Amino acid sequence: MNVEKQVNSYYDRLLERNAGEPEFHQALAEVMDSLKIVLEKDPEYANYGLIERLCEPERQLMFRVPWTDDNGEVQVNRGFRVQFNSALGPYKGGLRFHPSVNLSIIKFLGFEQIFKNSLTGLPIGGGKGGSDFDPKGRSDVEIMRFCQSFMTELHRHIGEYRDVPAGDIGVGGREIGYLFGQYRRLANQHESGTLTGKGLTWGGSLVRTEATGYGVAYITKEAMNHFGDSFEGSKVIISGSGNVAIYAAQKAQELGGTVIAMSDSSGYISTPEGVDVEKLRDVKENRRERINVYAEEVDGVTFHEGGNIWEESGDIALPCATQNELDEDDAKRLVENGVRYVAEGANMPCTPEAAHYFQSKDVAFIPGKAANAGGVATSALEMQQNATRDSWSFDYTDERLQQIMANIFQSISKTAKTYGREGDYVAGANIAGFKKVADAMLAQGVI
Ligand code: NDP
């Protein structure tokens, strides 16, 4: 069978076995495209059912999460943890609390995580979890009760050597605190390496909070260097105003760019003079307000209610909100308006059509599994510190992060070239990530 047919038959079977999971299908399709390139050159990667095993999670957990709200009413949510692949190390990946969460979304995120974690060069496998719980508008104690109930089930499936969750959309420092507290109580030990994103006084790592956003800016800088370019004087558009977006904005501006637009799900702000990151952090992180409040409190900023941030023009676009938030029309408009670099801070924020369009127009397009790997990489550095009962300085940890992001760019760029796809960082990331996991799986036998 030729490779095209062989990979299409894997894909068809996967669609059948995972019916009704569109996000997972989308993530699979993108990797399958790159696998065609690998198998042409290295057909032995099809041996021992390797591709079939890679696409089937090692374990999938779904559980009931009952909790009591402030009115005394019982609420029932659904919890998930997909332990996708542990060939390189314990499962590692965040927890997402958002009403849209379902098995398809957790599987797509878990699948992506395998390759991302492999690209970091650190010993971590891939997994992801979460719940359809909506934290918006919930009181602090409701969040705490929910986190405690969620962890009451999850705790038996995680641990320093087994599975190490972290934050994602809707799960930040506060939630990790409540989750860790309940874990510690149930496990009857202070096993700090079991969750990352912890507070600094109880096992957390400096730079973890900033890491994903900083990493997006660092890898963009690396790509720009590659083309003899720099952030200096560039206009940057960043969607979202959560953890990833805020620190991507901070670092992009430190590196000389001007962040001219940011958003949340209510709309976007345009701010031609750049974003006041401290003010934005106060509005979003401390006060947990909507982004229009920032526009109301800062001169020269316009709020576009329900507006599309991708109508702005800039040199660099960093989608940092959520999956499929940037489609082909947006990509066309961005290219028309002069965008030259796109790095995905969020997971799969560009639709496949948008990603292809950017690539067809020679925009340097860095996919999420490479661009946002700084977060999980720093989580792995947090695990290293926990294992040695040490804590590193901000500068040292940040230097490690910069080095990791530079290595990722070099690795995906070199791999793309080796496989005859120079400048195709999607193929580069998929192939480089895949080969390391595949080699480990082949070495470890059919399990
Ligand atoms: P947060 O919850 O901190 O922030 C998410 C941001 O995106 C918020 O501003 C939110 O607005 C906005 N948003 C969410 N959905 C939409 C939507 N449909 N339209 C417009 N804006 C939207 O999450 P993170 O910053 O942690 O995560 C963002 C992305 O980055 C996710 O894809 C996540 O998987 C990915 N990621 C995160 C990592 C991390 O370390 N945190 C690591 C690697 C990837 P609102 O508040 O209005 O909902």
Side-chain angles (χ1 to χ4, degrees):
M1 204 185 324
N2 73 20
V3 165
E4 177 82 22
K5 270 201 180 144
Q6 183 184 11
V7 174
N8 288 345
S9 89
Y10 291 139
Y11 185 59
D12 290 345
R13 177 133 173 74
L14 283 163
L15 295 191
E16 221 177 275
R17 276 169 68 76
N18 301 280
E21 297 180 354
E23 293 84 1
F24 184 43
H25 299 169
Q26 190 180 331
L28 284 166
E30 191 214 276
V31 170
M32 289 294 150
D33 268 352
S34 304
L35 284 185
K36 289 177 186 162
I37 308 167
V38 182
L39 293 179
E40 280 295 349
K41 196 163 185 282
D42 308 312
E44 69 277 9
Y45 283 123
N47 295 346
Y48 297 105
L50 183 97
I51 311 290
E52 294 91 327
R53 286 189 289 133
L54 182 71
C55 298
E56 182 71 21
E58 289 176 14
R59 191 173 298 109
Q60 309 184 52
L61 307 159
M62 282 173 67
F63 50 94
R64 183 172 68 205
V65 190
W67 56 284
T68 309
D69 69 17
D70 286 347
N71 299 322
E73 300 284 330
V74 171
Q75 303 285 339
V76 179
N77 286 99
R78 189 170 284 172
F80 302 86
R81 187 72 183 165
V82 173
Q83 300 179 329
F84 226 118
N85 192 299
S86 59
L88 296 180
Y91 310 106
K92 182 89 197 84
L95 297 172
R96 175 177 292 192
F97 292 170
H98 192 271
S100 65
V101 163
N102 56 35
L103 187 60
S104 169
I105 288 182
I106 298 299
K107 279 167 78 175
F108 120 64
L109 291 165
F111 187 63
E112 291 267 305
Q113 198 82 43
I114 304 170
F115 306 97
K116 179 186 311 189
N117 293 3
S118 163
L119 285 173
T120 65
L122 299 164
I124 38 180
K128 197 83 187 187
S131 172
D132 59 0
F133 170 69
D134 187 358
K136 275 209 190 93
R138 289 293 176 191
S139 70
D140 200 57
V141 286
E142 285 180 316
I143 302 272
M144 179 170 66
R145 283 195 293 269
F146 175 80
C147 287
Q148 289 175 339
S149 179
F150 183 85
M151 184 53 83
T152 300
E153 175 58 34
L154 187 69
H155 90 283
R156 47 186 128 243
H157 309 291
I158 62 174
E160 181 179 355
Y161 299 107
R162 183 177 299 152
D163 183 355
V164 184
D168 190 75
I169 292 180
V171 179
R174 171 180 61 169
E175 291 74 19
I176 293 291
Y178 295 146
L179 290 164
F180 183 73
Q182 184 73 350
Y183 179 82
R184 182 169 66 75
R185 182 184 191 193
L186 293 166
N188 192 25
Q189 56 185 4
H190 191 114
E191 186 192 324
S192 48
T194 207
L195 275 170
T196 58
K198 299 182 293 295
L200 293 176
T201 54
W202 40 279
S205 172
L206 285 164
V207 190
R208 177 60 191 92
T209 305
E210 298 83 354
T212 309
Y214 277 17
V216 177
Y218 290 146
I219 202 163
T220 308
K221 178 181 107 175
E222 207 59 38
M224 296 179 96
N225 281 347
H226 183 77
F227 293 102
D229 226 341
S230 86
F231 264 103
E232 210 55 58
S234 64
K235 285 202 226 167
V236 189
I237 308 168
I238 302 183
S239 63
S241 48
N243 174 265
V244 181
I246 285 178
Y247 294 99
Q250 186 184 70
K251 191 49 75 177
Q253 295 202 146
E254 272 176 34
L255 292 170
T258 304
V259 176
I260 53 132
M262 293 188 74
S263 65
D264 68 14
S265 53
S266 67
Y268 80 91
I269 52 160
S270 50
T271 168
E273 300 303 316
V275 165
D276 176 343
V277 174
E278 278 319 300
K279 178 76 186 175
L280 184 66
R281 279 187 56 197
D282 180 49
V283 170
K284 297 297 292 187
E285 283 182 1
N286 301 337
R287 288 151 55 189
R288 297 179 190 274
E289 300 270 18
R290 316 301 298 153
I291 204 160
N292 64 300
V293 172
Y294 175 91
E296 282 159 19
E297 295 180 7
V298 180
D299 288 342
V301 179
T302 313
F303 175 61
H304 307 261
E305 192 176 350
N308 179 357
I309 191 171
W310 308 121
E311 288 174 5
E312 292 289 313
S313 35
D315 309 290
I316 303 170
L318 306 176
C320 295
T322 193
Q323 64 271 4
N324 293 327
E325 53 159 312
L326 193 163
D327 66 18
E328 192 176 11
D329 288 340
D330 298 325
K332 284 184 176 157
R333 206 176 310 107
L334 281 167
V335 169
E336 231 173 74
N337 290 341
V339 87
R340 286 171 296 128
Y341 298 91
V342 177
E344 295 187 316
N347 286 310
M348 219 164 70
C350 298
T351 63
E353 296 78 18
H356 287 143
Y357 188 78
F358 285 133
Q359 292 187 301
S360 74
K361 296 293 171 191
D362 287 334
V363 170
F365 175 77
I366 311 177
K369 51 174 84 67
N372 68 35
V376 75
T378 309
S379 276
L381 301 182
E382 181 173 332
M383 289 162 72
Q384 282 185 28
Q385 293 169 72
N386 294 153
T388 53
R389 305 272 190 270
D390 199 358
S391 48
W392 305 342
S393 70
F394 190 96
D395 287 349
Y396 175 72
T397 317
D398 188 37
E399 232 169 74
R400 294 278 308 260
L401 171 64
Q402 289 188 53
Q403 193 57 54
I404 290 167
M405 298 314 294
N407 290 346
I408 293 177
F409 183 75
Q410 296 312 329
S411 154
I412 64 175
S413 173
K414 194 170 147 215
T415 305
K417 198 168 170 188
T418 308
Y419 282 82
R421 294 294 185 106
E422 191 165 357
D424 180 349
Y425 304 123
V426 173
N430 286 336
I431 297 170
F434 164 79
K435 282 184 70 169
K436 200 168 154 215
V437 181
D439 289 339
M441 288 176 72
L442 287 174
Q444 293 169 21
V446 177
I447 54 160

